[in-house]
Amino acid sequence: MAHSVAEPVPTIAPLSPPSPPPTDRPLHTLPAPFTTSNLQLLAQGAEALVYKTTFLTPNTPCVVKYRPPKPYRHPILDKRLTKARLLAEARVLVRAGREGVSVPRVLGADWEGGWLVLSWVGGGSVRQVLDGWAERVKRGEQKAEQALMDGEILDLMRRIGRCVGRLHDIGISHGDLTTSNIMLQSPSQESGPQPPLGGEITLIDFGLASHITPNSADEEGAVDLYVLERAFAATHPAAEPLFQEVLKAYSESWKGAKSVMKRLEDVRLRGRKRSMLG
Amino acid sequence: MALVRTFRLPHLEDYPVQVALFKNVTNATFLRSQLLAANPDFDYAFLDATMILSPLPLLLTTSLTLQAYLSSTLRTRTPHSELVFRLHPNNNIGESYRKFGISDTTTHLIAIKLSLPPTEVTNESVSKHLAEVVEGESVPIGDEGEELGLWADVAKIRKIYKLNDGGKGRAKGKREVAVNGGARVRDEKKEMESVIMGIMVLKGT
Ligand SMILES: Nc1ncnc2c1ncn2[C@@H]1O[C@H](COP(=O)(O)OP(=O)(O)OP(=O)(O)O)[C@@H](O)[C@H]1O
Ligand SMILES: [Mg+2]
């Protein structure tokens, strides 16, 4: 999971660990051919550094996902793991693209060097849409406009449900299906505070994705839905009916959906038990 | 002088790429024979333009080639042969040349010359030399390089990258309705381009 650069890092005094290095500059030497020029750090997760830059042409914005060496791992094992993960992510992306699911394009990679270049997905995330929506609900803004907005937002929910269904139908589970990883890509490529609701639904961050087998399909599909459900719940209680719309469209979108939905109930139960245990 | 476009790939600006496009070429046999004879004056990647869908996959191949060159992991004899090799989805070098390289019947030609130190290659030097040796009409290439895909034989390209069977036999248009509510007309060419680039990056893995 990525931590946004701006996110505060919790520390516990007085037994706090040494404060983390500043995150406004890369912690690691960049792999060739990248240099700090024309590179902007977007996110620094536990596993990967994500930069924005251009690739192939000056008008092709992209992200570079760099998995730096882990000093605590044996170097040979580390290289092999890094390569396997990058390859897995690239393969899933290419397959999803082949099957017509909108995902970033793979623009380059160096498996030994530890990096992957993906096309930039402009627009904004479903999380931004929901946050904006929840804000308006709280303020109880103009009723008429709200109704129109709701119609549009319900349509968006149905498209999300069908998109996730399609992904599962082609045998891929996302592995980290939060609302931040569902983007609304606008043709203008510009990021704004409010992405257009009609933008093309594009899934990002396939670092934890996997090809699912018939045996694991229900479980992995259900976990995707559960993660998404939690992300909706974290936005605002009022987002609950919106997620119901996602589920409805999902359940009608592919032949395996019904049994994934059934498994979702088990996954929810497990999730509740776990949270009760604290 | 032939019209030559210099591409500078972001992050690889030190290795400019000279690209020229020709139509109605009449001496492909001669050009090919110079490659076969390994004439050092003909150190180019000569490509059949009908096999190039659009500029991005070609620039990707170039970038992968430069990357392999810089990390000393070329899998063929020269950077220019590597470039042709990397266009092909499989690992057969001879096959890459037959499918993507210039053939005796090539009439639309893309010539690429990499500039790798210590050899100094300039736009002018390439322009002058190509004007002397290529019998054909020079076609200008714009900033975005779109002209490089002008003569793409989409059916042939689909076949070589096996782009027909996606979607479990379902029609492509139908899937769009299923996923994005039919709100958007799918850009088939863009999709082909994405898959081709993915195949290139994954090649040999
Ligand atoms: N293709 C893209 N276009 C635009 N923004 C992107 C893209 N990929 C990633 N991002 C942005 O960068 C952030 C981090 O990227 P991502 O989640 O893929 O990396 P990560 O979480 O660090 O890696 P991983 O989950 O594989 O360990 C995303 O939340 C998103 O804001
Ligand atoms: Mg992530």
Side-chain angles (χ1 to χ4, degrees):
Chain A
M1 291 262 279
H3 296 282
S4 124
V5 177
E7 221 165 68
V9 180
T11 52
I12 311 150
L15 279 177
S16 63
S19 63
T23 52
D24 58 342
R25 63 185 166 79
L27 284 173
H28 301 269
T29 336
L30 286 155
F34 301 102
T35 62
T36 45
S37 81
N38 177 27
L39 218 70
Q40 178 199 342
L41 183 65
L42 288 181
Q44 189 178 324
E47 296 284 329
L49 293 157
V50 181
Y51 298 91
K52 183 179 184 184
T53 182
T54 58
F55 206 68
L56 303 180
T57 84
N59 301 319
T60 309
C62 71
V63 298
V64 177
K65 282 184 87 164
Y66 173 45
R67 291 176 175 268
K70 298 274 177 301
Y72 52 82
R73 247 188 234 144
H74 186 282
I76 294 175
L77 174 68
D78 185 46
K79 260 215 148 72
R80 206 189 297 157
L81 268 176
T82 296
K83 183 175 172 175
R85 285 179 182 162
L86 287 173
L87 263 171
E89 183 167 0
R91 285 189 178 129
V92 164
L93 286 170
V94 173
R95 222 175 81 73
R98 228 185 220 284
E99 300 286 352
V101 178
S102 177
V103 296
R105 312 168 122 188
V106 178
L107 298 179
D110 182 344
W111 319 113
E112 311 302 326
W115 52 265
L116 185 63
V117 184
L118 306 176
S119 66
W120 178 254
V121 178
S125 66
V126 167
R127 178 173 177 175
Q128 288 169 294
V129 171
L130 290 180
D131 285 349
W133 178 84
E135 197 51 45
R136 281 189 300 277
V137 168
K138 255 187 267 172
R139 289 201 306 259
E141 259 173 23
Q142 307 116 305
K143 286 279 185 289
E145 216 180 276
Q146 188 64 57
L148 184 76
M149 179 72 184
D150 283 347
E152 250 190 298
I153 214 161
L154 288 177
D155 177 62
L156 171 63
M157 296 303 121
R158 290 189 280 267
R159 288 190 293 134
I160 292 171
R162 288 193 294 266
C163 180
V164 176
R166 174 78 192 143
L167 188 73
H168 291 168
D169 192 11
I170 64 171
I172 297 172
S173 70
H174 183 280
D176 188 16
L177 195 59
T178 61
T179 48
S180 314
N181 286 335
I182 306 176
M183 306 285 286
L184 288 170
Q185 188 160 219
S186 62
S188 70
Q189 298 279 304
E190 279 310 307
S191 301
Q194 269 304 299
L197 296 189
E200 182 174 28
I201 293 170
T202 305
L203 305 176
I204 63 164
D205 188 6
F206 282 74
L208 295 171
S210 54
H211 291 288
I212 48 187
T213 61
N215 281 336
S216 68
D218 291 351
E219 175 68 17
E220 296 199 47
V223 170
D224 267 356
L225 293 178
Y226 183 66
V227 169
L228 189 56
E229 182 169 62
R230 302 305 301 162
F232 268 75
T235 306
H236 194 269
E240 168 70 23
L242 292 183
F243 187 70
Q244 288 314 313
E245 205 63 28
V246 174
L247 282 184
K248 211 170 118 213
Y250 176 87
S251 65
E252 291 159 4
S253 69
W254 71 288
K255 59 180 187 321
K258 289 285 181 320
S259 80
V260 171
M261 294 287 291
K262 226 167 136 203
R263 178 65 73 106
L264 176 59
E265 288 167 25
D266 300 342
V267 176
R268 279 178 184 141
L269 207 61
R270 288 200 318 252
R272 266 202 294 279
K273 274 191 195 144
R274 203 176 306 126
S275 69
M276 277 192 313
L277 292 172
Chain B
M1 299 287 270
L3 299 157
V4 175
R5 173 117 223 138
T6 304
F7 287 92
R8 283 178 198 275
L9 309 187
H11 312 287
L12 293 165
E13 288 91 350
D14 292 345
Y15 309 92
V17 185
Q18 315 294 344
V19 185
L21 176 65
F22 296 89
K23 62 177 178 179
N24 303 328
V25 172
T26 54
N27 67 335
T29 306
F30 165 76
L31 296 171
R32 186 164 163 267
S33 73
Q34 298 308 300
L35 296 184
L36 292 178
N39 178 344
D41 291 342
F42 285 75
D43 190 12
Y44 287 97
F46 280 151
L47 307 174
D48 192 307
T50 61
M51 295 304 290
I52 302 302
L53 181 70
S54 53
L56 279 184
L58 187 60
L59 294 175
L60 173 59
T61 318
T62 310
S63 131
L64 291 169
T65 299
L66 289 171
Q67 229 173 281
Y69 171 79
L70 293 172
S71 59
S72 309
T73 53
L74 289 181
R75 284 186 274 173
T76 65
R77 221 166 31 80
T78 73
H80 289 114
S81 59
E82 185 82 7
L83 201 158
V84 184
F85 171 65
R86 284 183 180 270
L87 284 166
H88 199 283
N90 302 330
N91 280 319
N92 184 329
I93 296 172
E95 187 71 6
S96 318
Y97 263 91
R98 273 191 295 282
K99 296 287 198 232
F100 290 89
I102 189 172
S103 73
D104 290 346
T105 55
T106 295
T107 53
H108 294 84
L109 175 72
I110 295 171
I112 302 180
K113 180 116 180 153
L114 303 172
S115 180
L116 304 169
T119 334
E120 177 85 28
V121 176
T122 65
N123 185 296
E124 292 71 29
S125 68
V126 172
S127 166
K128 189 161 172 287
H129 183 243
L130 288 177
E132 282 164 15
V133 299
V134 178
E135 284 167 21
E137 288 173 52
S138 180
V139 178
I141 302 172
D143 277 346
E144 298 295 311
E146 289 305 327
E147 297 77 4
L148 293 167
L150 272 180
W151 286 287
D153 182 336
V154 174
K156 235 169 40 170
I157 295 170
R158 260 190 198 291
K159 193 165 166 229
I160 201 147
Y161 293 106
K162 301 194 170 68
L163 301 180
N164 288 317
D165 50 5
K168 298 171 187 168
R170 260 181 283 178
K172 285 217 150 196
K174 276 190 192 151
R175 279 189 290 141
E176 170 56 17
V177 175
V179 176
N180 257 309
R184 188 171 297 269
V185 181
R186 284 172 78 156
D187 188 337
E188 283 236 3
K189 191 168 159 187
K190 226 182 148 203
E191 276 185 17
M192 279 180 75
E193 197 180 75
S194 301
V195 178
I196 290 171
M197 289 198 286
I199 289 171
M200 286 172 169
V201 173
L202 286 171
K203 175 174 163 134
T205 62

